Amino acid sequence: MLHPLKTSNSAGASTRIPVLSKSSSTSERKKTMSKALAWIRKSKGSDDDIGLEDQREKVKALADELATTREDLDLGVQSGFSTMSRNDDSGLLDQNERVTDTVERIRDGEYDYLAAWDDRRVCRDEYFAVIEYAANQGGCEIVYFADVDDDDLTFDLKRRIERDTKEEEIRKAKRAIKVKKELGDDLGRPRFGYTYNSSKTEQLPDEDDFERALRVIQLREDGETYATISNKTGVSEGTISNILDRRDEYLADANTLSS
C-alpha cells in the first residue's frame, strides 16, 4: 500500500513521493544498506509531553520506512532558533554540539534521508538553509511526516512571521518571569535533578535525580554516547542534552553540596 509523503529539495520546493507502508511485503523505497536520520525537536514544554512523544513514534516510524537502518537525533525541548537570528550566549540550535556534528555528517553523506515532522521541527530560522545545503551536498533527501508549503515565497514569509511571533512570545515570557521573581512566585517546573524549596522561590538539588544528572555528566566525559548514557541511567536523550547544556551549573551545585 502506498501513501504520499512530503519531501524537500535543496531549493526549498516540496514534492510528493510514494512511500511503502510497513504492511507492504516489498521494499521498493529502501536502498540497500540505506540510512535515515530521525530529527526530533520541540521548542517548549517538557521532555515527556504528548507533542514530543508523537514525534518520537511517527518520525521514527517514517525513518524506518525510508531506510534499512535508523539513527535518532532526539533533541527533546530545544530552541529552533540559531545564531543567525539571535544573540543568545547559549541554548541556540547551532550552539548544540549534537546538531552541528550531525549537520557535518549529513554533509559528509552519512545519511540517505532526514525524516522530520515538518520543516519547523528541524529549524525555525535561516539556519534551515544551512541544513538543506548540507543535505544537498551529501545526497540526503529531507522527508516530512506532515504537509509543508511548496511555494518558496510562502515558505519564506511563513518562517519570518513565525520568527517574529516567537520572539514576541519570548519577550512576554521573560517579562512574566521577571515579575514572578519579584513577587517570589513559583517559576514553573524545576529542571531535572532539582526541586523547589518550601516557598517555591528557589530550585535546590534533589538527592536521587541530582546524582543521576551527575552520572550523566561523568559518563559523557568518559566518552559514552547519548544512547549508552540513556540505557545506563534511564534518562532520556533530550534530558541528557539539557543536563549537558547546564553542566557547569550542576557541577557548581555539586561542589557546594560537598563543601
Side-chain angles (χ1 to χ4, degrees):
M1 182 178 66
L2 293 172
H3 60 89
L5 288 169
K6 279 284 190 177
T7 68
S8 173
N9 61 28
S10 60
S14 299
T15 57
R16 286 191 175 274
I17 55 171
V19 178
L20 290 173
S21 69
K22 288 184 178 179
S23 60
S24 175
S25 60
T26 63
S27 58
E28 297 172 14
R29 177 67 178 166
K30 295 184 179 180
K31 299 177 181 178
T32 303
M33 298 301 291
S34 58
K35 187 174 183 179
L37 173 70
W39 187 299
I40 297 164
R41 186 199 65 79
K42 192 170 182 288
S43 295
K44 58 185 178 179
S46 60
D47 189 66
D48 58 355
D49 69 17
I50 187 68
L52 274 173
E53 290 304 316
D54 212 22
Q55 283 193 58
R56 286 170 178 141
E57 176 187 351
K58 293 175 180 177
V59 173
K60 289 180 182 181
L62 171 59
D64 286 337
E65 288 188 29
L66 293 168
T68 55
T69 60
R70 186 194 83 222
E71 184 174 308
D72 301 333
L73 178 64
D74 190 338
L75 298 171
V77 178
Q78 159 72 55
S79 172
F81 294 102
S82 73
T83 56
M84 296 179 75
S85 64
R86 294 289 174 81
N87 293 319
D88 297 357
D89 293 331
S90 63
L92 298 176
L93 194 63
D94 59 343
Q95 292 169 336
N96 187 323
E97 184 180 342
R98 295 175 63 203
V99 172
T100 54
D101 285 350
T102 299
V103 172
E104 284 301 314
R105 292 163 66 190
I106 292 171
R107 182 178 290 108
D108 290 342
E110 183 169 333
Y111 306 103
D112 299 288
Y113 303 97
L114 188 162
W117 187 272
D118 59 22
D119 58 305
R120 293 171 299 169
R121 296 302 183 271
V122 178
C123 180
R124 298 181 72 97
D125 67 8
E126 292 84 348
Y127 188 62
F128 183 81
V130 175
I131 298 169
E132 272 199 320
Y133 183 66
N136 183 54
Q137 286 186 307
C140 176
E141 184 177 1
I142 301 176
V143 184
Y144 300 120
F145 177 83
D147 285 342
V148 175
D149 288 324
D150 295 355
D151 183 74
D152 288 344
L153 179 59
T154 302
F155 178 84
D156 184 61
L157 287 174
K158 182 182 73 172
R159 190 169 295 280
R160 289 177 181 274
I161 291 169
E162 286 176 349
R163 185 181 70 190
D164 292 343
T165 302
K166 191 70 174 180
E167 288 175 347
E168 178 59 25
E169 290 176 356
I170 290 171
R171 284 193 292 269
K172 288 180 179 178
K174 286 181 176 178
R175 288 195 295 268
I177 290 173
K178 181 179 179 181
V179 171
K180 284 190 172 187
K181 284 182 176 180
E182 291 172 351
L183 296 174
D185 290 345
D186 184 342
L187 299 180
R189 182 175 177 176
R191 63 184 182 273
F192 184 86
Y194 288 81
T195 187
Y196 278 113
N197 59 5
S198 57
S199 59
K200 293 189 176 182
T201 58
E202 183 182 3
Q203 292 187 29
L204 302 173
D206 176 69
E207 184 174 350
D208 292 337
D209 282 343
F210 188 75
E211 288 296 326
R212 290 171 69 198
L214 295 180
R215 174 70 171 152
V216 165
I217 294 170
Q218 183 60 59
L219 288 170
R220 184 58 176 168
E221 290 182 348
D222 290 342
E224 299 290 359
T225 65
Y226 279 65
T228 299
I229 295 171
S230 182
N231 289 334
K232 289 185 176 181
T233 63
V235 178
S236 72
E237 292 189 23
T239 301
I240 290 170
S241 179
N242 292 335
I243 291 171
L244 295 175
D245 285 343
R246 294 177 173 267
R247 173 185 175 278
D248 292 344
E249 296 175 34
Y250 280 98
L251 294 181
D253 286 339
N255 289 332
T256 300
L257 290 175
S258 62
S259 59

